Amino acid sequence: MNIIISNQSDLPIYEQIAESFKEKILSGEISGGELLPSIRSLAKDLRISVITTKRAYEELEKEGFIETIPGKGCFVKTKSSELLREEVLRKIEEHLINAVHMAISYGIGQEELDEILSYLYEEGGRHE
């Protein structure tokens, strides 16, 4: 499992781990029903505390991304495609809200912002 932790990030390590798993689940890289690495194994691979890994898994479980089955491990919850879509839309909205705030603060109008978004979408998100 490829999870990158940055010491430069403002996010605590457990949040970085949880966010990494969320992205992998939402993108379909990790599918519903898939067994996650054990808490100890992930902690050893990432060279971090078991407590930190446990906290990341607890966050994921609290948010409904994974479930723990005693004696078997932690598994990605099988969500309906509609729930996954809603989660992805929520993340997109967060990014767009930031873009709108930035545009407003620099005096860029909605029409120009719409043009930028249309262009980026047509280019498939490629940014040079």
Side-chain angles (χ1 to χ4, degrees), residues 1-120:
M1 185 89 24
N2 187 18
I3 295 177
I4 298 170
I5 296 173
S6 170
N7 291 331
Q8 310 302 325
S9 175
D10 292 336
L11 290 177
I13 293 172
Y14 80 91
E15 282 185 36
Q16 291 181 52
I17 295 167
E19 285 300 315
S20 182
F21 274 116
K22 284 183 211 175
E23 288 174 14
K24 290 176 187 306
I25 292 167
L26 292 173
S27 72
E29 187 177 330
I30 303 174
S31 53
E34 193 170 326
L35 176 65
L36 297 180
S38 72
I39 290 172
R40 290 185 193 282
S41 149
L42 184 61
K44 183 179 175 190
D45 289 348
L46 297 177
R47 296 183 180 146
I48 59 171
S49 163
V50 171
I51 294 168
T52 302
T53 308
K54 185 176 188 296
R55 187 163 180 198
Y57 278 28
E58 286 171 351
E59 285 294 311
L60 289 166
E61 190 160 20
K62 183 173 79 177
E63 293 180 31
F65 284 91
I66 67 171
E67 62 185 334
T68 302
I69 299 174
K72 294 190 177 187
C74 295
F75 294 84
V76 176
K77 270 193 173 177
T78 306
K79 290 185 167 186
S80 73
S81 58
E82 190 59 36
L83 287 175
L84 284 175
R85 180 175 166 73
E86 285 300 317
E87 185 66 27
V88 169
L89 287 173
R90 185 188 63 75
K91 283 186 121 1
I92 291 169
E93 283 177 14
E94 287 176 15
H95 290 289
L96 289 175
I97 287 169
N98 290 334
V100 167
H101 286 274
M102 183 178 272
I104 290 170
S105 69
Y106 287 101
I108 296 170
Q110 181 179 348
E111 189 175 305
E112 193 172 358
L113 190 60
D114 288 342
E115 286 176 29
I116 293 168
L117 182 59
S118 293
Y119 173 77
L120 291 172

